[in-house]
Amino acid sequence: MSQKSNLGNVRRENRRVRSGEDFDIIIGFLGFWAVVLLVVTVWMEVTAQPALGWALGLLAMLLALYGMIRLRRRLPQRTATRRG
């Protein structure tokens, strides 16, 4: 690499790959919390406690996850490799 610092500039071809990786991170985050809300909702139902709020939160999380997956499909596949 050159002596000059990058100054945060990203080449045009790497921008879309990066945004795809960001979508993958958000999808993973939403998926984790969807599983947590599913467990909490089932537990609340089994123990006969009010679970409507938890179920609505789970519905909102699943809708957000579905929307993010649909948006992610429009982006190109990840081609960049991580350097360790």
Side-chain angles (χ1 to χ4, degrees):
M1 206 155 149
S2 67
Q3 297 291 334
K4 218 175 181 181
S5 65
N6 190 358
L7 300 176
N9 296 327
V10 178
R11 290 186 303 220
R12 182 177 295 264
E13 63 270 8
N14 291 341
R15 286 183 185 159
R16 291 189 71 129
V17 173
R18 240 188 217 171
S19 67
E21 289 177 0
D22 293 342
F23 271 80
D24 291 343
I25 292 169
I26 293 169
I27 289 169
F29 180 78
L30 290 174
F32 170 78
W33 287 109
V35 170
V36 169
L37 284 174
L38 176 67
V39 170
V40 169
T41 303
V42 169
W43 178 256
M44 297 295 274
E45 286 289 340
V46 168
T47 59
Q49 298 178 25
L52 179 62
W54 295 105
L56 290 175
L58 176 60
L59 176 64
M61 193 66 63
L62 290 175
L63 289 174
L65 185 60
Y66 176 74
M68 291 300 291
I69 290 172
R70 283 186 51 99
L71 287 173
R72 176 62 179 102
R73 286 184 185 162
R74 294 181 184 192
L75 294 173
Q77 293 293 324
R78 291 189 301 178
T79 57
T81 59
R82 290 186 183 245
R83 295 179 183 167

